[in-house]
Amino acid sequence: MIDAIYFDGQSSRRQPVTLVMHKRVVAMRGEGVKQSHRLSRLRVSERLAHAPRILYLPDGGRIHISDPRVDKMLKANGYREPRVVRWQRNWPLSLLALAGVLALLLSGYQWGLPWAADKAALHMPAALEQKIGDGELELLDESFLAPSELDPVVQARLQRLFSQMKQPRGERTPYRLEFRRSHVGPNALALPNGVIVMTDELVKLANNDQAVLGVLGHELGHVQRRHSLRRLMQALGVGVLVNVWIGDASSMVTAVPTVLLDQKYSRDFEREADQYAIDMMQANGLPLEPMARLFEKMGKAHAGKDDAASHRHEHDKQDGQRGKGRHTEEGDEEEEDSEPLDYFSSHPSDAERIAKLRAVDRAGK
Ligand SMILES: [Zn+2]
């Protein structure tokens, strides 16, 4: 039995409780509090030194536990520490190689760090790129994605249709299309290893193959321009590069997963990817209107969620264009602290993009 603090998720009241875990069930007792939950129904915060473990309850409540014995209790009840933690520990090897590349480029320090970061990304050894992408996918699978439940016939059809499309300018950028169910709403993303993740939710929202193909074209654009890696390198930027320079790689170890999760693509990258999608759709004689309609639908979906959460996410809207909300799913899996979900907000709808798609479409007729 250990002591903990319970927050009901409605008020800011701290309620002292005692906690036991037995047979994969977490039971807590306190004044006026008596609850038990299956451990598998709870989200458990990552293990960090000097921070309490937090158990997130399905109803929005939280249990904060400072007693270090909680780690043992969790383990004894079948909880496995998520990959992110293990992954951080595996990073030193990759980082050593990465640090080598960066150190080389840092000899060109005077040309400016963003430039160096960009060049580093473009000269990253393919094996390392693969490794970073694999790591990202593992991390996402552990946290935000689940196996796809999309009809295999639909999956196969989309795979086939997209693979039959000509890439712009005769390019043959390798990619691998993966379907996943998303815990955080409709989205698609591109990883440095060439994996394009398409979520069931986006396919359903689109309800139109051409719209999905357009989004896949956009993601292939990110792959082709290596945006994911360039974004990572730019974000690791000044602070970490300087630390590598002075020989402290440890800050990089902690920075990498965080950076992966909270960076959005720059507007320039988004424009490039949109243009790529337009080029690809046109090269195949496909209309852009379905994609424009999908962006509109996504915009509406995000805007609705935004209203409900606006008091929490003011800082999200700094430049007004991006960051249209962290979308949580309704029901049990709703996440109170949705910090990392920004990763999935990288494709907010945007009146300018929609207008552009429609203009191109009209001009082509
Ligand atoms: Zn994008």
Side-chain angles (χ1 to χ4, degrees):
M1 194 186 299
I2 55 175
D3 292 324
I5 306 287
Y6 168 62
F7 295 87
D8 61 13
Q10 325 282 316
S11 66
S12 57
R13 196 150 49 103
R14 301 161 56 89
Q15 309 185 63
V17 291
T18 55
L19 208 72
V20 283
M21 287 186 214
H22 184 58
K23 292 195 173 163
R24 306 193 175 201
V25 171
V26 180
M28 96 178 132
R29 299 273 181 280
E31 238 188 273
V33 183
K34 188 176 173 189
Q35 286 187 27
S36 48
H37 298 273
R38 255 178 214 291
L39 184 55
S40 61
R41 302 276 293 154
L42 308 185
R43 188 163 71 83
V44 183
S45 72
E46 190 186 329
R47 183 170 63 200
L48 297 168
H50 314 302
R53 279 317 267 267
I54 303 173
L55 305 183
Y56 295 88
L57 307 177
D59 66 359
R62 302 189 304 279
I63 310 172
H64 289 227
I65 310 155
S66 302
D67 193 322
R69 283 176 297 172
V70 66
D71 294 341
K72 264 202 181 132
M73 284 170 74
L74 286 168
K75 200 174 168 204
N77 283 274
Y79 176 77
R80 286 178 69 225
E81 296 294 340
R83 197 65 60 95
V84 57
V85 175
R86 283 177 272 140
W87 187 45
Q88 277 174 352
R89 296 195 193 111
N90 288 339
W91 263 90
L93 256 183
S94 336
L95 286 174
L96 219 67
L98 187 57
V101 176
L102 291 178
L104 216 89
L105 278 148
L106 277 170
S107 54
Y109 189 85
Q110 68 273 20
W111 294 315
L113 286 167
W115 183 88
D118 223 33
K119 288 294 164 219
L122 295 174
H123 291 91
M124 189 76 88
L128 188 56
E129 216 170 356
Q130 186 71 39
K131 199 163 179 166
I132 292 173
D134 293 351
E136 278 192 57
L137 186 59
E138 259 181 40
L139 175 66
L140 290 163
D141 274 336
E142 294 276 348
S143 324
F144 307 109
L145 303 173
S148 174
E149 288 167 5
L150 203 63
D151 184 349
V153 176
V154 175
Q155 289 189 30
R157 186 180 71 228
L158 290 169
Q159 289 274 13
R160 177 174 47 80
L161 287 174
F162 191 59
S163 71
Q164 285 170 350
M165 279 173 76
K166 282 183 280 224
Q167 294 184 10
R169 297 166 287 276
E171 290 160 5
R172 291 172 182 275
T173 304
Y175 70 92
R176 191 175 90 225
L177 174 54
E178 299 261 354
F179 291 92
R180 293 285 194 279
R181 192 160 62 81
S182 157
H183 293 312
V184 287
N187 218 315
L189 54 144
L191 305 179
N193 55 357
V195 167
I196 295 173
V197 178
M198 172 56 67
T199 62
D200 299 1
E201 287 74 13
L202 191 65
V203 175
K204 282 178 200 149
L205 184 69
N207 193 24
N208 177 303
D209 286 355
Q210 289 172 341
V212 175
L213 294 176
V215 172
L216 290 175
H218 173 103
E219 295 304 329
L220 188 64
H222 283 314
V223 172
Q224 202 272 337
R225 303 283 155 91
R226 302 170 100 171
H227 285 162
S228 182
L229 196 65
R230 286 162 70 189
R231 175 190 61 170
L232 174 64
M233 300 304 287
Q234 284 171 358
L236 286 173
V238 182
V240 173
L241 286 177
V242 167
N243 277 327
V244 173
W245 183 239
I246 60 173
D248 173 17
S250 63
S251 64
M252 194 143 167
V253 177
T254 48
V256 169
T258 323
V259 160
L260 288 180
L261 291 176
D262 68 17
Q263 283 298 306
K264 299 183 190 94
Y265 287 128
S266 72
R267 305 204 72 207
D268 286 345
F269 284 2
E270 284 306 321
R271 281 207 193 93
E272 276 182 26
D274 276 350
Q275 189 56 52
Y276 193 93
I278 290 169
D279 293 346
M280 188 155 173
M281 293 299 272
Q282 288 194 319
N284 293 275
L286 294 171
L288 296 161
E289 176 60 26
M291 196 180 171
R293 270 204 303 274
L294 172 59
F295 283 165
E296 265 176 357
K297 282 193 213 167
M298 287 185 82
K300 276 185 198 140
H302 289 192
K305 303 260 163 106
D306 243 15
D307 291 343
S310 57
H311 61 287
R312 308 174 62 91
H313 301 325
E314 283 306 312
H315 57 284
D316 246 354
K317 296 174 187 159
Q318 278 159 1
D319 67 9
Q321 315 291 339
R322 312 250 126 230
K324 278 281 183 186
R326 296 114 180 237
H327 19 290
T328 54
E329 269 190 329
E330 272 76 28
D332 280 353
E333 304 202 347
E334 181 152 5
E335 299 195 7
E336 270 284 279
D337 181 12
S338 46
E339 208 58 53
L341 307 192
D342 264 355
Y343 194 67
F344 281 82
S345 308
S346 47
H347 301 109
S349 126
D350 177 348
E352 180 196 313
R353 307 170 72 183
I354 295 169
K356 174 153 195 204
L357 292 173
R358 295 215 158 114
V360 172
D361 228 8
R362 268 197 301 278
K365 274 181 187 148

